[in-house]
Amino acid sequence: MTTQTEFHGALLDAQQPVPAGLSDGKGRPAGRRYSVYRNNVAVSLGEALGTGFPAISKLIGPENFKNLAGIFLRQSPPASPLMMHYGAGFPEFLERFEPLKHLGYLGDVARIELALRRSYHAADAPAANASILQSLDEEGLMACRMALAPAVQILRSPWPATSIWAFNMVPGSPKPQARAEDTLITRPEFDPMPHALPAGGAAFCQSLAKGETFGAALTAAQSETPEFDLGATLNLALSQGAISEILT
Amino acid sequence: MLDTRPGDPSLPSAPGVGYKPQHFSDILNDARPVEWLEIHAENYMGDGGRPLAQLRHLSERFAISVHGVGLSIGGEGRLDPEHLARLKHLVGWLNPASFSEHLAWSTHDSHFFNDLLPLPYTDATLTRVADHIDELQETIGRKMLLENPSSYLAFDESTLSETEFLREVARRTGCGLLLDVNNVFVSATNLGYSPQGYIDDYPLDLVGEIHLGGHDEDEDDHGAPLLIDSHGREVVDPVWALLDYTLDRSGPKPLLVEWDTDVPDWPTLAAECKRAEAALSRVPA
């Protein structure tokens, strides 16, 4: 008998012998026929990673990426049949991978790619009508709460992760400057886009995402960045449909 | 065993195509597109965004077949209750014309391999597969079609032929069958039996859909042909011939062209669908 434990154990480990009890249908051992399954699994999972992390593939080169994906998929095969979620552990894997330690930003660029995928599949939500803000006095504004659309993602990085992503993925993007960058991913309709946030903007958005008031979010941003540019942050969020509801 | 009624939805006996998002506009703009589309269930299990918006739009104009590729019906473990719930949700809101899955496994020890892995055909695996199909059909509230796999090897422990296995699963569960004639050709070549003989033994009256696809050619350790079910090129002539052989015995059936890797432009795919239409048109209804 060939159990699925035996069959699957050798799938991801080419050092293991072909499981017993398998033949070519004519009484000869299955041999490399079993390798068809090994190959199918490695190719399909590797392609899923390549589709999910195109910027990483560009940064390290497709051949290196293929080898790296082969190591990762053996350590971390998918835990769910939803391939749209595969690779959640890839950023940490990149950061721990010794030969890539000198490219410290790779993990955060991969986090942007993961977040773009999450955003792509997130629930739809129409943008809030911002005109309501004009009817509020200062007290009312500070007390209101703003719900972020499900497709919105906020990331913080000590690296210029958004600029590195854009430089590799969006033609004509400027060369990245050495600096920390925070990112707001928005999806006005169907195509998620990362935007670099002004300093303090991530603290502001994270506070809103937690359901805190506008005033609390402003305090959080200003205590981190005294010169926090509220206008630029709010304008970015509203113009990109990042705010789905304003509760006064 | 699920009771099915004559009013249950079904696909038209016409060509359909495996839907790829890059063909969205072409399909909508083509004056004479196919009558129905097949989607892979797992690609439409997000919460929103473009995939679901496209699917809602297409489902207003085309009959939709939902084809699962991740339930692991042939798995030794129990079916994933979360995945069953996702399938129920998708089938519930979309109300597709057909739901199908594979005679294969893909999950073990909570690892998903994204491939259709083979199982031996024995009394024990028959009971397990039938139980899983019962559970699925009860969950989604309708009958499913079970697809024959492409085989690259055989299990020494098998005691039933694939056609005996499929016939008995269908008898026990009331499920229908999805006959992939490319898979028949691939398996028959790889394991050294007659593809026409397989069709002769196959319960064609239970077929709710036929699949066509392209395969690659390789060799095993002894230089014997080893065909790989790649869905990455045109359907080859011997598979078209096997389709004719099948349709002569089954009558017209819903006919799907699958092309999943190295996906071509729409005109190339549409040409394959035309060929499928020609194959159907020579069969008396």
Side-chain angles (χ1 to χ4, degrees):
Chain A
M1 216 171 92
T2 314
T3 65
Q4 287 176 4
T5 301
E6 289 162 349
F7 198 98
H8 112 284
L11 270 180
L12 293 179
D13 185 355
Q15 305 304 314
Q16 284 196 39
V18 172
L22 305 174
S23 80
D24 67 350
K26 292 153 235 159
R28 294 183 297 208
R32 70 182 296 248
R33 290 161 171 265
Y34 178 81
S35 307
V36 175
Y37 297 104
R38 276 179 170 149
N39 189 52
N40 283 351
V41 170
V43 168
S44 80
L45 297 183
E47 282 177 354
L49 290 169
T51 305
F53 299 99
I56 300 299
S57 179
K58 270 194 140 175
L59 281 162
I60 64 174
E63 270 311 303
N64 288 331
F65 186 88
K66 213 174 137 191
N67 295 333
L68 200 64
I71 298 168
F72 175 76
L73 66 89
R74 284 169 175 82
Q75 287 180 11
S76 309
S80 148
L82 299 198
M83 294 307 288
M84 65 176 76
H85 298 322
Y86 184 44
F90 197 55
E92 289 75 21
F93 168 82
L94 289 171
E95 285 169 345
R96 283 200 312 265
F97 193 67
E98 204 55 47
L100 291 174
K101 277 268 161 76
H102 62 293
L103 305 176
Y105 50 81
L106 284 181
D108 281 349
V109 176
R111 284 186 185 92
I112 290 178
E113 302 208 284
L114 257 187
L116 287 169
R117 231 191 311 158
R118 284 196 196 109
S119 177
Y120 184 77
H121 291 287
D124 308 316
N129 180 0
S131 64
I132 192 171
L133 293 175
Q134 277 144 30
S135 68
L136 299 176
D137 58 15
E138 192 181 338
E139 200 182 334
L141 178 64
M142 291 303 151
C144 81
R145 292 167 207 273
M146 295 178 169
L148 301 185
V152 168
Q153 305 272 322
I154 306 156
L155 297 104
R156 312 198 67 169
S157 175
W159 304 94
T162 313
S163 299
I164 295 171
W165 179 87
F167 187 66
N168 285 278
M169 301 303 291
V170 184
S173 298
K175 204 159 180 276
Q177 305 292 316
R179 63 179 180 199
E181 272 181 6
D182 296 335
T183 309
L184 183 73
I185 291 176
T186 63
R187 199 192 82 196
E189 197 183 17
F190 295 134
D191 295 304
M193 213 34 219
H195 311 272
L197 274 165
F204 180 76
C205 293
Q206 282 174 334
S207 174
L208 290 180
K210 276 188 265 175
E212 292 169 357
T213 62
F214 189 92
L218 187 58
T219 305
Q222 285 172 338
S223 63
E224 190 188 283
T225 309
E227 70 282 12
F228 169 60
D229 188 341
L230 173 65
T233 304
L234 205 53
N235 192 35
L236 171 66
L238 287 169
S239 67
Q240 289 292 317
I243 293 165
S244 59
E245 209 174 356
I246 299 171
L247 300 160
T248 56
Chain B
M1 171 119 181
L2 195 82
D3 287 329
T4 52
R5 297 165 299 279
D8 277 354
S10 61
L11 295 165
S13 289
V17 70
Y19 173 64
K20 299 292 163 202
Q22 55 265 51
H23 297 141
F24 181 70
S25 303
D26 290 315
I27 288 175
L28 290 172
N29 295 331
D30 195 329
R32 231 173 113 260
V34 291
E35 282 189 38
W36 59 280
L37 304 171
E38 185 157 283
I39 58 148
H40 286 177
E42 286 71 12
N43 292 340
Y44 297 87
M45 290 180 170
D47 294 324
R50 180 175 284 119
L52 294 187
Q54 285 193 343
L55 180 55
R56 275 193 297 271
H57 193 80
L58 292 167
S59 68
E60 288 165 13
R61 186 156 150 201
F62 299 94
I64 305 285
S65 162
V66 174
H67 191 50
V69 296
L71 185 60
S72 200
I73 280 177
E76 283 171 4
R78 61 183 293 230
L79 296 180
D80 175 357
E82 287 179 27
H83 201 57
L84 280 171
R86 288 189 287 255
L87 288 169
K88 179 181 179 176
H89 176 72
L90 177 61
V91 169
W93 74 259
L94 184 61
N95 191 24
S98 173
F99 178 81
S100 51
E101 250 285 359
H102 298 85
L103 178 57
W105 59 281
S106 48
T107 297
H108 187 72
D109 272 352
S110 74
H111 289 155
F112 174 71
F113 291 103
N114 204 30
D115 190 33
L116 300 167
L117 300 166
L119 61 153
Y121 300 138
T122 66
D123 289 336
T125 59
L126 179 62
T127 301
R128 195 168 75 215
V129 167
D131 287 349
H132 285 169
I133 290 176
D134 281 339
E135 188 181 0
L136 170 73
Q137 293 187 140
E138 275 161 31
T139 303
I140 64 173
R142 59 191 290 167
K143 83 172 198 178
M144 63 160 280
L145 306 178
L146 183 66
E147 177 175 353
N148 57 297
S150 272
S151 298
Y152 308 115
L153 48 76
F155 288 80
D156 295 345
E157 70 198 271
S158 285
T159 52
L160 298 162
S161 72
E162 189 168 285
T163 48
E164 286 168 331
F165 192 92
L166 288 166
R167 186 191 300 270
E168 183 58 16
V169 168
R171 192 191 65 77
R172 288 193 199 178
T173 64
C175 77
L177 298 177
L178 194 172
L179 173 61
D180 188 318
V181 289
N182 179 59
N183 289 357
V184 172
F185 186 78
V186 165
S187 299
T189 305
N190 289 346
L191 300 180
Y193 55 79
S194 152
Q196 288 80 15
Y198 182 101
I199 299 297
D200 292 342
D201 292 338
Y202 189 97
L204 292 172
D205 53 319
L206 299 176
V207 172
E209 178 182 345
I210 291 178
H211 271 186
L212 285 161
H215 60 252
D216 292 338
E217 294 178 15
D218 200 350
E219 288 182 350
D220 76 357
D221 300 301
H222 306 281
L226 181 59
L227 304 184
I228 316 288
D229 180 35
S230 58
H231 296 180
R233 44 168 296 183
E234 281 92 352
V235 179
V236 298
D237 286 344
V239 171
W240 287 111
L242 186 61
L243 173 70
D244 289 341
Y245 184 89
T246 304
L247 291 175
D248 284 342
R249 285 153 183 80
S250 69
K253 295 285 181 186
L255 211 52
L256 183 88
V257 175
E258 288 186 298
W259 200 320
D260 294 319
T261 57
D262 297 325
V263 176
D265 61 7
W266 175 248
T268 307
L269 206 48
E272 288 283 273
C273 295
K274 273 220 169 67
R275 201 166 169 186
E277 192 174 28
L280 275 173
S281 67
R282 48 169 290 285
V283 186

